[in-house]
Amino acid sequence: MAKTIDFCVAWGPWPDEPFADIIRQQCRERGLTYVFCKDHNVQQVIKAAVAGTAPVRFHLDLCADYEDAHDVYARLGYAAKDGGAVVVNEPDHARVAANKTTLHYRLENAGIPVPYTVVVRNWEPDAFVLTPAERKKLGRPFIIKPARGYGKRGVALVNGHSLKELARARRFDNGDDFLFQQLVEPQWFGHRMGWFRMFYVLGEVIPCWWDKVTEHYACVTVDEFDKYDLLPVCDIVWQIARTAYMNFFTTELAIVGRRGDRRYVAIDYVNDQCDTTLQSHS
């Protein structure tokens, strides 16, 4: 193993993909040493980083579960951090950002527009009921999502307010908090829905149209950016990054209303450990 690891990647159990090849090529062109940490070598990298025999300078985390004290890739992230590495994303910040309930209040208090939300704690009984005012603001249908869910796991569209319907949605993970969230209906821009998947990469914002049905991206062109005045969408992403202290993530934003009554809404807050699969290979 190299005496110093310039670029460390927590890749985990995933098979190699073109994104990994791109990193390797870029490191070679710059004369940087690199290591992809997988199940077969991650313990060795941790041991060398802790001992200082192969300190890590930059660490890109793509798989750690910082909620799990026994997760080996979480330990790798902390080993890199404790050794002075730049860690993307910083473990303690990533742990907080992974909880949508915590982040919801942070964004709301920072003045970032979010959907109307009712937070239901895990200790609330299955007999939990919404107040008439909450039901009116949520509307029908509305979204239920777990606070620590990812990749749409546990997300449900609820058409009513019955106890059975709410309890069934929450049973995805009885130990988690849940968010009951107003359904957002975006404005259309020509043949594009005003729903965006925004990438935040070390200070740079990359706006993409997001098709919720096909789950395909399309980069916003310069002409589209100017024509539809999308700078406010980027501003919100910068605000989210400052509030969550994250430097590599995606977020979903929607535009609702016409120009005279246009509103921008942050939908899915922060998704770190971004899916790096090239669209041509997905």
Side-chain angles (χ1 to χ4, degrees):
M1 185 178 296
K3 292 183 178 179
T4 299
I5 301 172
D6 295 317
F7 203 115
C8 181
V9 184
W11 195 262
W14 319 122
D16 269 5
E17 295 176 352
F19 182 74
D21 294 332
I22 292 171
I23 291 178
R24 292 186 180 100
Q25 178 183 347
Q26 294 296 319
C27 285
R28 286 194 294 265
E29 290 179 0
R30 290 163 174 77
L32 301 176
T33 58
Y34 60 88
V35 172
F36 277 74
C37 293
K38 301 185 178 183
D39 294 352
H40 72 275
N41 68 342
V42 61
Q43 293 284 9
Q44 180 186 2
V45 176
I46 292 172
K47 183 178 179 180
V50 171
T53 56
V56 175
R57 295 181 60 194
F58 183 94
H59 179 60
L60 175 61
D61 169 48
L62 295 176
C63 60
D65 180 1
Y66 291 111
E67 290 288 334
D68 182 357
H70 302 290
D71 182 78
V72 68
Y73 294 98
R75 294 185 179 183
L76 172 63
Y78 278 111
K81 173 185 175 179
D82 294 345
V86 174
V87 181
V88 178
N89 282 295
E90 199 279 339
D92 291 315
H93 296 159
R95 183 175 184 178
V96 172
N99 189 316
K100 292 180 177 64
T101 300
T102 303
L103 201 55
H104 172 80
Y105 289 118
R106 283 196 176 187
L107 299 184
E108 193 173 50
N109 291 337
I112 296 171
V114 294
Y116 176 74
T117 300
V118 176
V119 171
V120 183
R121 300 297 180 183
N122 63 76
W123 56 80
E124 299 273 9
D126 278 350
F128 167 86
V129 293
L130 295 162
T131 68
E134 289 170 340
R135 290 199 300 268
K136 183 177 180 180
K137 289 181 179 179
L138 282 172
R140 294 168 58 183
F142 63 92
I143 301 294
I144 294 183
K145 61 178 66 171
R148 296 180 179 86
Y150 60 91
K152 295 187 177 181
R153 295 175 69 249
V155 177
L157 181 68
V158 176
N159 288 295
H161 302 114
S162 71
L163 286 177
K164 288 184 178 179
E165 195 173 21
L166 302 183
R168 184 170 59 250
R170 290 179 61 203
R171 286 193 192 107
F172 169 76
D173 186 348
N174 290 328
D176 201 357
D177 296 335
F178 274 75
L179 293 82
F180 290 17
Q181 225 164 42
Q182 182 184 38
L183 181 66
V184 174
E185 296 291 349
Q187 178 63 36
W188 284 83
F189 296 84
H191 68 287
R192 301 280 195 191
M193 180 186 292
W195 196 287
F196 301 86
R197 173 78 72 174
M198 309 289 289
F199 287 80
Y200 183 88
V201 185
L202 303 176
E204 181 179 355
V205 175
I206 304 172
C208 298
W209 301 101
W210 174 244
D211 189 314
K212 296 190 296 177
V213 178
T214 65
E215 297 189 348
H216 280 181
Y217 306 92
C219 287
V220 175
T221 67
V222 173
D223 289 343
E224 290 172 333
F225 192 87
D226 292 336
K227 179 180 179 180
Y228 299 126
D229 187 22
L230 298 181
L231 183 59
V233 180
C234 296
D235 288 337
I236 291 175
V237 180
W238 281 310
Q239 292 178 51
I240 292 173
R242 288 194 298 268
T243 303
Y245 302 105
M246 298 286 279
N247 47 27
F248 178 42
F249 64 91
T250 69
T251 186
E252 293 182 37
L253 297 177
I255 299 178
V256 298
R258 299 287 181 178
R259 275 192 180 271
D261 187 33
R262 179 181 286 187
R263 293 185 297 115
Y264 307 86
V265 185
I267 304 297
D268 206 23
Y269 306 164
V270 167
N271 298 294
D272 72 328
Q273 300 178 349
C274 306
D275 183 354
T276 57
T277 304
L278 270 63
Q279 190 158 274
S280 58
H281 288 71
S282 61

